[in-house]
Amino acid sequence: MSELKKSSQSWSMWALLLVGLVAALGVFLFIRNRKKQQETENSDQDVTEVPDKDEDEDEIILVNYKIISQGLEIEGIEDETMHRLITAQAMHETAIFDSPVFEKNKNYFGMGHPSKRPTTSTGKVGGYANYETLVDSAKDYALYYKYVGLPNFTDAKTFAAELKKKDYYTDSFVNYSAGVSAHFKKLNQLLNVG
């Protein structure tokens, strides 16, 4: 009978251990899912605040990259390389987020107020499209991009060449391409560090 008692105690210990493991796994999964849910909620928040000029330039670039990516994704441009290229373009257009049009109009790209295509612009201020938020500026760029039928690109030079063909900018191709390429390289370095 003592063998039966030992066997029963052994099974009880194993059952208790199994219950403990299942409970620990349940707590782990609950915490992991809650953390993912919070990250999703935080990423869904509309980032519209213009970063302070006193912040580190790299931080300003990264914050604006996130804002631009958010607006592009809302309008269906999901390719990360395109997010980087378009942010590099915005860096060039705004002198790294420091131009009067950027500050006054929340306009990343020096866009005019369109007359034919869909837009998020609220109208014209000083000859340029004006936006309620920075995300709206990025969304409007995505609307333009789709409207003129541009594909995804993988390098800044080809991207700048296609924009020139669409008469997007009046600057020389050499200057515009060099500027966007330099900003694309810097942004990639910043994003690949983390």
Side-chain angles (χ1 to χ4, degrees), residues 107 111-114 117-125 128-132 136-137 140 143:
N107 188 329
M111 303 273 287
H113 181 77
R117 68 170 176 80
T119 186
T120 58
S121 169
T122 60
K124 210 186 282 190
V125 173
Y128 294 93
N130 188 60
Y131 302 97
E132 286 186 26
D136 286 343
S137 176
D140 195 44
L143 292 170

Side-chain angles (χ1 to χ4, degrees), residues 75-183:
E75 290 300 330
I77 296 178
E78 296 176 1
D79 182 76
E80 185 181 341
T81 301
M82 287 307 304
H83 290 196
R84 292 177 183 209
L85 285 168
I86 292 168
T87 301
Q89 180 187 8
M91 291 167 68
H92 181 70
E93 292 279 353
T94 63
I96 309 181
F97 314 110
D98 197 32
S99 72
V101 172
F102 169 72
E103 291 176 1
K104 186 175 182 179
N105 298 32
K106 295 181 182 163
N107 188 329
Y108 276 121
F109 305 98
M111 303 273 287
H113 181 77
S115 59
K116 294 181 182 179
R117 68 170 176 80
T119 186
T120 58
S121 169
T122 60
K124 210 186 282 190
V125 173
Y128 294 93
N130 188 60
Y131 302 97
E132 286 186 26
T133 68
L134 292 170
V135 171
D136 286 343
S137 176
K139 287 166 54 178
D140 195 44
Y141 185 85
L143 292 170
Y144 160 80
Y145 204 85
K146 292 187 294 186
Y147 184 80
V148 298
L150 287 167
N152 288 343
F153 296 97
T154 57
D155 67 282
K157 189 173 181 178
T158 307
F159 176 59
E162 289 301 313
L163 288 172
K164 185 68 171 173
K165 287 179 189 175
K166 298 290 184 184
D167 293 322
Y168 181 84
Y169 59 91
T170 57
D171 195 2
S172 73
F173 166 72
V174 171
N175 187 52
Y176 200 87
S177 176
V180 173
S181 294
H183 293 307

Side-chain angles (χ1 to χ4, degrees), residues 18-134:
L18 183 61
V19 167
L21 286 173
V22 169
L25 179 62
V27 169
F28 169 77
L29 291 174
F30 174 79
I31 291 170
R32 188 183 74 178
N33 288 338
R34 182 70 184 135
K35 186 176 178 181
K36 281 183 180 181
Q37 183 182 10
Q38 287 174 337
E39 288 172 0
T40 301
E41 288 170 1
N42 289 340
S43 70
D44 289 344
Q45 292 175 352
D46 191 18
V47 183
T48 59
E49 190 174 313
V50 179
D52 189 344
K53 283 184 186 178
D54 294 334
E55 287 186 47
D56 177 49
E57 182 178 270
D58 292 350
E59 182 63 27
I60 290 170
I61 291 168
L62 293 173
V63 167
N64 281 287
Y65 169 74
K66 290 176 185 175
I67 295 168
I68 291 169
S69 291
Q70 182 181 6
L72 296 174
E73 284 182 1
I74 289 168
E75 290 300 330
I77 296 178
E78 296 176 1
D79 182 76
E80 185 181 341
T81 301
M82 287 307 304
H83 290 196
R84 292 177 183 209
L85 285 168
I86 292 168
T87 301
Q89 180 187 8
M91 291 167 68
H92 181 70
E93 292 279 353
T94 63
I96 309 181
F97 314 110
D98 197 32
S99 72
V101 172
F102 169 72
E103 291 176 1
K104 186 175 182 179
N105 298 32
K106 295 181 182 163
N107 188 329
Y108 276 121
F109 305 98
M111 303 273 287
H113 181 77
S115 59
K116 294 181 182 179
R117 68 170 176 80
T119 186
T120 58
S121 169
T122 60
K124 210 186 282 190
V125 173
Y128 294 93
N130 188 60
Y131 302 97
E132 286 186 26
T133 68
L134 292 170

Side-chain angles (χ1 to χ4, degrees), residues 1-20:
M1 196 153 215
S2 68
E3 279 300 314
L4 185 57
K5 195 173 186 179
K6 283 183 184 177
S7 177
S8 176
Q9 286 176 340
S10 179
W11 279 107
S12 294
M13 276 185 17
W14 281 110
L16 221 66
L17 182 61
L18 183 61
V19 167

